[in-house]
């Protein structure tokens, strides 16, 4: 998204970030005990600063001695998943086929 984000941009992206991050933490986090913000960023393609902002807004981010911790029980994540559902249609990554854009320049 554009920076700084417009009011309309925030209305669109904040629910998307929340649903994507909550869904990831609830269903797809391979080893939640050692997951970093950068790991979540790489897997979800959401910028780290937006993940920190969203986790903070959701009340899931704790900072102890300058170190960020994600503190969320499964029950809390399920409650948040109901509040921020993932909107269909979901994209099946196995169906995506990318080709690089080439030019003669």
């Amino acid at each position: 998204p554009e920076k700084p984000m417009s009011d309309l941009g925030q209305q669109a992206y904040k629910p998307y970030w929340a649903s994507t991050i909550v869904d990831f933490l609830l269903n797809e986090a391979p080893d939640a005990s050692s997951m970093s913000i950068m790991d979540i960023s790489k897997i979800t393609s959401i910028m780290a600063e937006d993940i920190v902002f969203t986790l903070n807004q959701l009340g899931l981010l704790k900072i102890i001695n300058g170190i960020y911790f994600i503190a969320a029980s499964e029950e809390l994540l399920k409650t948040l998943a109901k509040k921020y559902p993932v909107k269909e249609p979901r994209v099946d990554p196995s169906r995506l086929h990318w080709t690089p854009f080439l030019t003669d320049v």
Side-chain angles (χ1 to χ4, degrees), residues 9-102:
Q10 284 187 2
Q11 285 181 331
Y13 276 100
K14 285 165 70 174
Y16 166 74
W17 292 333
S19 65
T20 301
I21 293 166
V22 168
D23 181 66
F24 173 78
L25 292 174
L26 191 58
N27 299 312
E28 300 176 35
D31 182 11
S33 64
S34 64
M35 183 70 47
S36 73
I37 299 293
M38 290 310 295
D39 293 334
I40 297 170
S41 178
K42 288 175 188 171
I43 295 168
T44 63
S45 298
I46 298 173
M47 292 178 60
E49 65 191 52
D50 297 327
I51 292 171
V52 169
F53 171 80
T54 303
L55 289 171
N56 196 33
Q57 291 290 112
L58 295 173
L60 302 179
L61 193 65
K62 308 296 181 216
I63 305 171
I64 301 172
N65 296 329
I67 299 173
Y68 292 104
F69 291 93
I70 300 170
S73 66
E74 186 174 349
E75 192 64 34
L76 176 58
L77 290 174
K78 286 180 181 180
T79 301
L80 289 170
K82 288 179 185 173
K83 185 175 180 180
Y84 300 100
V86 175
K87 296 184 179 176
E88 300 296 335
R90 288 185 175 213
V91 175
D92 180 0
S94 69
R95 298 291 196 179
L96 294 176
H97 302 284
W98 299 100
T99 10
F101 178 72
L102 302 175

